[in-house]
């Protein structure tokens, strides 16, 4: 380790790097036998509420793969659970809510988040993780974006079509905006607390924003996401903005104010980067490619690197999360391959 | 009715029309109580194998909504079921296969389709439907595209990630191509038989093609889809090509040779049409919008019509299928609205 900042942070700032930094969304997760061993004994919220368990699963992929960044093990509904919203994460399903948001009264369950009181476990976990990581490997803070969190809250659980969400957004834009502003303020509070405790970058997950057309996104989602990035600007840490299927939205997501924009695999990285403008880009290998033989993985990774074309500011990642069936040895080999390319 | 061809066929050919034609994907389906009444008593394959039931559910939305086209009630796995492949359509799940395709031997189950012998029920249904429809309302023939059908065959059922499918495609391109060519030939046979029995247009459903990046689509999917459109060219009926999340692929899907290209709601229709080139465009209202109050539905439909901008060759439709919770009266009202706009 030299005096220079870690290559992940340098790439986020579009500074020169000695090698392309790489980490994987869902690197702390089901592809790892050591993670599955913990999950056999502990539920998702149980892991989040126990700082030593959160730290352990967050650090597992760093130890195993040698990735350039850790990401806090969490879930987009963690701040809702922290303020007492009736939510459960059902195995094989996802977050399920006891009282979906359908009208004004349902907003009452969304009081302002006070991180020190409401989720000391997350703050303690961040402190423990960053102490162990030291200066070489930054921790990325984690929060769900207002649209994606709201989609679960309004539907009452996971959805493929977002019928109720879009009906509320378009039919009750006033109520929708109040809902998103509350979620934005809580995301700001959570991320600020994570950075205060030692996180050196943040990622806002708007995983399902790609379900929206650009005019709808611009009118009903972008303002709340922009509020978050503005609310973090003074911290000086790289802010990453991520979604899936966002080819048409990349320019708008960039306008929302992050420093690094995620590009999923559907858009070739060079084309996606042109839509982002003068910012760093994160991505964009198809996670399903990792199920193919190694020579295919290497070839497709090389294609991503070739499309980055040496532009400053490339953070190598998958276009979405690691698939559960992925062989973890392939992930380790891919880290080495990207570093040596 | 005048001597002119129905407005749906005229729009497909980019000829002048008296009003924008409209039909809805999944118009024959769960939004209709009269359909649900039939489904309570009959399974999916049971309906397909009974020409009078197929005709009834195909005609229900034409009677109720006054749409400009009927579409044959079918499923993308119907030709597989017809040649004896071990497949079942499980309620709430989708098609599930007893023997997923993983290696050469698994291709043996995919013998050439002989429509007259293997699915006389489909041919009889098309004859019955077109006899009842008469000259005014064309019937659109139905087939699944090789990639989307193959994704079910390789995964063994529905998937969100297509890990096995992409691993086979990229890791065993020779086997993949043989699989897709067999599916393409059977799609050609099925669609030719439907046209011979009276269908006056065809739609090839590549619903999940949007899971692919453009280079992968161009190398491993486009050739088989192009083979189908070439294999129908002499019939002289409009050929429609449809998929979801295909913003990056619209140019390539157009290159595959169809006359009409479906554009989902993620891409504004004018932008999508520019990618298609000089062809007709079908779409592109977000189906979730139909869950919102009527004034929102009308406003969003008007936005689609405005983006069509009077270009010849617009077939109004949803960007994907009607959602089950949709109020059928909204569909009827939307048909009237589009016709009078």
């Amino acid at each position: 380790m030299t005096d220079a900042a870690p290559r992940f942070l340098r790439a986020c700032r579009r500074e020169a790097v000695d090698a392309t930094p790489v980490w994987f969304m869902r690197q702390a997760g089901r592809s790892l036998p050591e993670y599955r061993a913990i999950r056999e004994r502990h539920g998702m919220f149980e892991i989040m509420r126990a700082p030593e368990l959160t730290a352990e699963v967050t650090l597992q992929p760093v130890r195993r793969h040698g990735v350039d960044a850790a990401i806090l093990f969490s879930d987009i509904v963690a701040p809702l659970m922290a303020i007492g919203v009736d939510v459960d994460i059902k195995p094989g399903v996802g977050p399920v809510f006891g009282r979906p948001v359908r009208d004004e009264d349902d907003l009452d369950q969304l009081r302002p988040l006070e991180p020190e009181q409401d989720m000391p476990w997350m703050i303690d976990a961040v402190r423990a993780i960053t102490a162990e990581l030291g200066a070489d490997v930054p921790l990325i803070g984690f929060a769900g974006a207002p649209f994606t969190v709201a989609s679960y809250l309004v539907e009452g659980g996971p959805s493929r079509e977002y019928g109720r969400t879009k009906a509320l957004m378009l039919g009750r834009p006033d109520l929708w905006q109040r809902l998103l502003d509350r979620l934005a303020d809580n995301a700001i509070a959570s991320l600020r607390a994570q950075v205060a405790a030692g996180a050196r970058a943040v990622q806002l997950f708007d995983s399902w924003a790609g379900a929206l057309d650009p005019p709808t996104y611009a009118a009903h989602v972008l303002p709340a996401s922009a509020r978050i990035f503005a609310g973090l600007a003074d911290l000086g840490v790289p802010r990453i903005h991520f979604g899936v299927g966002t080819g048409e939205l990349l320019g708008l997501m960039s306008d929302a104010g992050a420093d690094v924009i995620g590009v999923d695999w559907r858009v070739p990285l060079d084309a996606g980067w042109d839509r982002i403008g003068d910012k760093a880009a994160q991505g964009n290998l198809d996670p399903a490619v990792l199920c193919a033989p190694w020579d295919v993985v290497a070839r497709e990774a090389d294609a991503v690197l070739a499309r980055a074309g040496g532009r400053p500011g490339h953070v190598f990642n998958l276009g979405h999360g690691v698939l559960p069936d992925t062989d973890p040895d392939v992930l380790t080999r891919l880290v080495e391959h990207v570093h040596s390319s």
Side-chain angles (χ1 to χ4, degrees), chain A residues 7 20-24 27 59-70 137 331-336 339:
Chain A
R7 61 169 78 100
T20 301
V22 50
W23 69 280
F24 303 114
Q27 63 190 12
L59 293 166
Q60 283 171 348
V62 180
R63 295 186 200 119
R64 182 191 265 264
H65 301 313
V67 285
D68 293 290
V137 179
L331 291 169
T332 305
R333 197 168 173 185
L334 181 55
V335 173
E336 294 164 2
H339 283 167

Side-chain angles (χ1 to χ4, degrees), chain A residues 6-12 21-28 54 57-59 61-62 67-75 122 125-127 129-130 133-144 190-205 229 232 237-242 259-260 282-283 315-318:
Chain A
R7 61 169 78 100
F8 166 74
L9 295 177
R10 293 183 59 83
C12 289
V22 50
W23 69 280
F24 303 114
M25 286 183 280
R26 289 198 187 269
Q27 63 190 12
T54 304
V57 297
T58 298
L59 293 166
V62 180
V67 285
D68 293 290
I71 181 147
L72 179 67
F73 182 84
S74 188
D75 187 275
M122 185 184 278
V126 171
R127 288 206 184 98
I129 294 162
T130 53
L133 286 172
D136 292 7
V137 179
L139 175 70
I140 304 169
F142 181 112
S190 173
L191 290 171
R192 291 191 73 92
Q194 293 175 48
V195 171
R200 297 163 76 188
V202 297
Q203 179 156 320
L204 188 70
F205 287 80
F229 293 119
L232 304 171
V237 302
R239 298 159 295 174
I240 311 172
H241 199 179
F242 167 76
D259 307 291
V260 185
Q282 178 172 282
V315 176
F316 191 98
N317 204 318
L318 306 179

Side-chain angles (χ1 to χ4, degrees), chain A residues 23-27 30-31 208 242-245 263-267 282-294 296-298 300-301 304 316-328 330-331 334:
Chain A
W23 69 280
F24 303 114
M25 286 183 280
R26 289 198 187 269
Q27 63 190 12
R30 292 168 297 173
S31 67
W208 311 135
F242 167 76
V244 178
V263 181
D264 90 354
W265 70 91
R266 292 172 179 87
V267 187
Q282 178 172 282
N284 75 338
L285 187 66
D286 185 343
V289 164
L290 272 56
C291 302
W294 170 254
V296 173
V297 178
E300 296 292 320
V304 170
F316 191 98
N317 204 318
L318 306 179
H320 200 183
V322 173
L323 301 183
D325 291 342
T326 304
D327 176 355
V330 171
L331 291 169
L334 181 55

Side-chain angles (χ1 to χ4, degrees), chain A residues 113-319:
Chain A
L113 176 74
E114 298 180 67
E116 289 73 16
Q117 283 73 56
D118 297 325
M119 44 185 209
W121 30 272
M122 185 184 278
I123 295 169
D124 290 344
V126 171
R127 288 206 184 98
I129 294 162
T130 53
E132 175 142 348
L133 286 172
D136 292 7
V137 179
L139 175 70
I140 304 169
F142 181 112
F147 167 74
T148 294
V149 177
S151 78
Y152 287 97
L153 261 172
V154 175
E155 303 290 339
S159 169
R160 294 192 71 161
E161 312 289 358
Y162 309 102
R164 286 178 180 276
T165 306
K166 291 176 180 175
L168 184 74
M169 175 192 298
L170 298 170
R172 293 291 313 276
D174 52 326
L175 177 58
W176 173 259
Q177 205 57 55
R178 286 167 56 203
L179 169 60
L180 259 63
D181 284 346
R182 290 194 186 203
L183 296 173
D185 288 343
N186 284 0
I188 292 169
S190 173
L191 290 171
R192 291 191 73 92
Q194 293 175 48
V195 171
R200 297 163 76 188
V202 297
Q203 179 156 320
L204 188 70
F205 287 80
D206 212 355
S207 305
W208 311 135
L212 299 167
D213 62 90
T216 303
Y217 177 87
H220 299 289
V221 174
L222 191 154
S225 294
R227 180 182 178 119
I228 294 173
F229 293 119
L232 304 171
D234 62 301
L235 299 178
V237 302
R239 298 159 295 174
I240 311 172
H241 199 179
F242 167 76
V244 178
T246 53
E248 309 301 319
L249 304 178
L250 286 172
L252 293 168
M253 290 180 77
S254 181
D255 291 345
D259 307 291
V260 185
I261 308 295
V263 181
D264 90 354
W265 70 91
R266 292 172 179 87
V267 187
L269 185 58
D270 46 351
W273 213 328
D274 290 343
R275 296 175 204 174
I276 290 167
D278 289 333
K279 299 194 169 192
Q282 178 172 282
N284 75 338
L285 187 66
D286 185 343
V289 164
L290 272 56
C291 302
W294 170 254
D295 63 320
V296 173
V297 178
R299 186 188 72 209
E300 296 292 320
D302 289 344
V304 170
L305 292 166
R307 290 196 196 96
R311 281 200 231 200
H314 179 213
V315 176
F316 191 98
N317 204 318
L318 306 179

